[in-house]
Amino acid sequence: MGYFNNINRIQYEGAQSTNPFAFKYYNPNEKIGHKTMKEHLRFSVAYWHTFTADGADPFGAGTMIRPWSEYSGMDQAKARVEAAFELFDKLDAPFFCFHDVDIAPEGETLKESYNNLDTIVKMIKDYMKTSSTKLLWNTANMFTHPRFTHGAATTSEADVFAYAAAKVKKGLEVGKELGAENYVFWGGREGYETLLNTDMKLELDNLARFFHMALDYANEINFTGQFLIEPKPKEPSKHQYDFDVATSLSFLQKYDLQNHFKFNIEANHATLAGHTFEHELHTARINGMLGSVDANQGDTLLGWDTDEFPTDLYSTTLAMYEILKNDGLGKGGLNFDAKVRRNSFDPDDLFHAHIAGMDSFAIGLKAAHQMLEDRILENFISDRYRSFSEGIGKEIIEGKTDFHKLEKYALGLNDIETKSGRMEKLKAEINSYLLNAFSNVRV
Ligand code: XUL
Ligand code: CO
């Protein structure tokens, strides 16, 4: 007995296929450069959106038709595990991710929550013995329960800080048990609503204390996963401390944490911060801090975190460009922190959504790989900055100038020549790479 009985294993059928339950562009074993698509893309299914969420929004009840809805409590949690591994297998998903409360219901007490978690973790571990799907990361949900209303590590209540520490301690133990490649910290309520009641310095100092204690405990139990911070500027907090990569990086540097963390970059969080997805990936990359990706997209007409499945090929191309320039994601992956729309309520939609996301990143990978092979941006950029590799520019770079010398040089200048930035030409070039990525797979 299965949960998705009408669906077989999703196969790559190529761009001509009209089968909605087939990959058109994602061909797991196809080599792009020195790695297969599967190795480049390291796709992951997010447990919360796909198995736990019911489609409820602030204006209406859940809509999702799910074969496990007929159960409740721990029975439902167990049914979800069965369904999850069926879906992972049918998509041949290399990874999955979860929060503690996605997989097991919270009990009346912390002890009871631990017991529920232990039961489900044991079940997941059994499934993982025969499944090829691994755990990309797990995390603790420290934002849903009312106790976290003032935050978790940045709360005004010491008891809540202790409770949050216990949840992360348990999360690291669970991560170790299941062989997690990473552990994620997303500070949903680590921020403030108003400065009128907030001791920001104490809250930030406490957040750093919390991270140091988490690192100490990971060392103590020999948890070898990578620690990731997932920046987001707002929602649910009005102002979240991990606003974006640049802000979070300066926090990590101030508290001597930068060598122990990387970033999990989410597309829709980037746009909420007023950045592009590629800006956040780029900022992380040039600082050696790009760890993993929550692959989704926002809606330009809506100002909140819509978590749509990624289908914008321009964005997946520029994202894959950054990831390839980073020489891949290492222990990280492309986690679909994405949900089907409230009115895409059939179980089939879960497959359509993942197929769409996987195909979109496969196209992005192909286009970006070719752009890099041909060095179209690299050549343009190195030419654009050529003035810094000769003459006065070279002296600036080599530290051989000062303001006296530069002033003397500037006084001797008659005409300063500037060159065009050629943005439109570059954009048109990217379009042709995207179209070629399509036509390549058609032959
Ligand atoms: C919320 C979000 C989270 C994190 C994990 O916007 O992205 O699901 O990815 O807590
Ligand atoms: Co996320």
Side-chain angles (χ1 to χ4, degrees):
M1 204 224 44
Y3 294 83
F4 308 103
N5 289 323
N6 60 322
I7 293 164
N8 297 319
R9 206 160 208 250
I10 310 300
Q11 310 279 357
Y12 169 71
E13 292 185 6
Q16 284 93 350
S17 170
T18 52
N19 176 3
F21 293 103
F23 296 121
K24 317 291 186 307
Y25 305 100
Y26 176 59
N27 184 7
N29 299 320
E30 182 180 333
K31 278 228 163 157
I32 304 290
H34 61 290
K35 286 195 277 190
T36 63
M37 280 201 183
K38 191 171 179 180
E39 289 163 342
H40 275 292
L41 296 165
R42 294 172 62 85
F43 287 129
S44 161
V45 176
Y47 210 95
W48 52 103
H49 285 310
T50 291
F51 306 106
T52 315
D54 64 0
D57 74 9
F59 301 94
T63 54
M64 298 296 154
I65 300 168
R66 297 290 179 252
W68 50 89
S69 303
E70 58 181 286
Y71 305 103
S72 62
M74 284 297 279
D75 287 339
Q76 187 177 54
K78 289 176 188 168
R80 281 189 179 123
V81 175
E82 292 166 355
F85 278 87
E86 186 183 334
L87 180 135
F88 300 158
D89 187 52
K90 288 187 166 166
L91 285 171
D92 193 18
F95 294 103
F96 70 113
C97 297
F98 63 81
H99 302 81
D100 45 6
V101 304
D102 306 331
I103 61 167
E106 284 202 85
E108 293 290 317
T109 60
L110 183 59
K111 192 98 193 31
E112 210 183 295
S113 299
Y114 280 0
N115 289 341
N116 290 349
L117 204 53
D118 288 342
T119 305
I120 301 298
V121 166
K122 189 172 174 305
M123 188 176 169
I124 289 179
K125 197 176 176 185
D126 279 344
Y127 267 89
M128 287 176 78
K129 283 182 191 147
T130 51
S131 163
S132 60
T133 304
K134 300 198 185 90
L135 184 58
L136 186 67
W137 50 261
N138 62 311
T139 184
N141 175 322
M142 305 201 287
F143 43 91
T144 300
H145 193 282
R147 77 174 69 83
F148 295 117
T149 185
H150 299 302
T154 63
T155 173
S156 44
E157 316 279 356
D159 284 0
V160 175
F161 185 99
Y163 197 100
K167 273 177 72 100
V168 172
K169 177 175 177 290
K170 183 73 176 167
L172 292 170
E173 291 159 14
V174 166
K176 182 178 160 73
E177 182 74 7
L178 298 178
E181 306 251 344
N182 306 272
Y183 188 87
V184 161
F185 292 90
W186 169 60
R189 300 203 187 263
E190 310 292 27
Y192 64 82
E193 288 305 307
T194 170
L195 277 178
L196 297 178
N197 63 15
T198 300
D199 184 339
M200 192 199 275
K201 177 157 190 327
L202 178 72
E203 293 200 359
L204 286 166
D205 288 349
N206 277 351
L207 184 58
R209 289 184 182 107
F210 193 94
F211 286 149
H212 275 289
M213 284 190 261
L215 282 167
D216 288 346
Y217 189 65
N219 272 338
E220 187 183 323
I221 64 168
N222 199 20
F223 173 79
T224 54
Q226 166 76 55
F227 273 28
L228 299 170
I229 288 190
E230 185 176 324
K232 183 175 182 182
K234 56 190 164 201
E235 202 200 342
S237 297
K238 185 172 85 177
H239 176 98
Q240 292 188 197
Y241 292 133
D242 300 331
F243 191 94
D244 60 1
V245 170
T247 312
S248 306
L249 180 57
S250 78
F251 168 86
L252 291 175
Q253 284 166 339
K254 174 176 175 189
Y255 292 99
D256 201 18
L257 288 159
Q258 73 274 17
N259 295 330
H260 307 285
F261 283 82
K262 284 193 174 171
F263 291 110
N264 182 36
I265 311 286
E266 179 162 328
N268 205 165
H269 295 181
T271 47
L272 280 178
H275 302 309
T276 59
F277 185 19
E278 58 272 20
H279 166 94
E280 287 293 83
L281 293 168
H282 193 102
T283 309
R285 174 171 71 75
I286 62 173
N287 287 291
M289 298 292 282
L290 176 52
S292 200
V293 171
D294 269 5
N296 63 13
Q297 68 186 28
D299 185 315
T300 45
L301 300 182
L302 301 174
W304 63 90
D305 195 14
T306 58
D307 283 345
E308 287 177 29
F309 272 83
T311 51
D312 177 341
L313 303 182
Y314 207 81
S315 170
T316 60
T317 300
L318 295 183
M320 285 316 301
Y321 177 79
E322 292 297 334
I323 292 168
L324 290 175
K325 291 217 40 128
N326 196 56
D327 200 20
L329 290 170
K331 283 172 179 264
L334 292 175
N335 172 50
F336 290 115
D337 189 353
K339 57 178 177 234
V340 289
R341 298 303 86 193
R342 186 169 181 266
N343 41 26
S344 303
F345 42 70
D346 280 339
D348 285 4
D349 290 307
L350 294 175
F351 285 85
H352 294 314
H354 283 91
I355 291 168
M358 290 160 94
D359 272 342
S360 298
F361 267 94
I363 293 168
L365 167 63
K366 278 209 143 180
H369 172 76
Q370 201 52 52
M371 277 164 59
L372 270 163
E373 285 286 289
D374 298 349
R375 298 183 51 82
I376 56 152
L377 299 184
E378 282 65 29
N379 287 344
F380 183 82
I381 289 172
S382 74
D383 192 50
R384 183 163 183 239
Y385 293 88
R386 191 167 302 283
S387 67
F388 282 97
S389 53
E390 56 206 21
I392 192 72
K394 192 159 181 245
E395 286 182 38
I396 293 170
I397 300 283
E398 288 172 353
K400 291 181 181 159
T401 50
D402 57 22
F403 270 15
H404 297 288
K405 205 169 169 186
L406 291 173
E407 183 189 49
K408 194 167 167 236
Y409 179 84
L411 286 169
L413 290 172
N414 293 324
D415 283 328
I416 296 185
E417 225 186 290
T418 57
K419 285 185 278 189
S420 166
R422 302 248 187 274
M423 183 178 86
E424 298 77 5
K425 176 175 173 281
L426 293 171
K427 285 196 162 185
E429 262 170 15
I430 293 176
N431 280 348
S432 64
Y433 275 82
L434 253 167
L435 289 167
N436 282 336
F438 278 102
S439 54
N440 284 350
V441 275
R442 276 186 204 282
V443 258

